[in-house]
Amino acid sequence: MPPRQKPRENSARPPIAITAVVDAVGALASDSVHDHLYLYDTNKAGGSTGFGTEELRTKVRAGDRIVWNVLALECEAFVDIVDIVVDKDVIEPERQIYPGTDVAYWIGTVKKDDVGLVPYQIKFLVGTRTHPITTTLSPTLVG
């Protein structure tokens, strides 16, 4: 019987996905995402907290790839992320499009460990509005 091969260790960690769920009707009615935004990430086991709130705290370390995407609570509503305002010394998110679609997402790589608390803002286009609605409470990257 041949010796069993050890499984190869995958040094690349999977990206941390941050999903913003927006109640578009509520955001349009109030001209704010306050109380109409629910943030989640895929790093609960790594120490993230604040799931389902506007103040999600995503635990990160150097080399982590972060992917932001958005979903409208109402399936027929349009919501898009148009900017992520964050300290560029920590991460520089860039807008990308999934191949063969018109679906956008934002992605960036955390540049350093021990970032402390890095608040950021997300700017959304909602419905047919031409000016973005910006988060009022800040989600945070936590080192």
Side-chain angles (χ1 to χ4, degrees):
M1 185 167 178
R4 285 180 66 164
Q5 291 185 350
K6 284 176 102 177
R8 271 189 10 203
E9 277 191 34
N10 184 359
S11 62
R13 299 183 298 267
I16 297 170
I18 297 176
T19 300
V21 180
V22 177
D23 172 0
V25 172
L28 287 169
S30 65
D31 195 29
S32 172
V33 291
H34 182 64
D35 289 334
H36 306 291
L37 173 63
Y38 312 94
L39 295 168
Y40 301 89
D41 75 31
T42 57
N43 199 29
K44 186 173 186 177
S48 294
T49 60
F51 293 91
T53 73
E54 298 171 62
E55 297 179 281
L56 176 68
R57 290 176 161 232
T58 301
K59 184 73 171 161
V60 299
R61 58 187 178 166
D64 281 343
R65 301 273 294 160
I66 310 295
V67 177
W68 285 267
N69 58 68
V70 63
L71 297 171
L73 189 59
E74 303 83 8
C75 62
E76 67 281 354
F78 173 80
V79 179
D80 190 24
I81 296 173
V82 293
D83 196 12
I84 297 174
V85 181
V86 64
D87 182 348
K88 303 294 188 219
D89 290 335
V90 175
I91 190 169
E92 291 185 61
E94 295 179 350
R95 188 175 193 267
Q96 303 285 318
I97 304 289
Y98 288 106
T101 74
D102 60 354
V103 178
Y105 63 97
W106 289 73
I107 188 164
T109 302
V110 177
K111 297 178 181 180
K112 56 187 177 180
D113 277 323
D114 300 323
V115 297
L117 298 175
V118 181
Y120 63 93
Q121 291 182 308
I122 305 173
K123 295 184 178 191
F124 299 97
L125 277 184
V126 182
T128 58
R129 306 221 22 200
T130 57
H131 67 278
I133 300 175
T134 304
T135 52
T136 53
L137 299 177
S138 290
T140 307
L141 300 178
V142 180

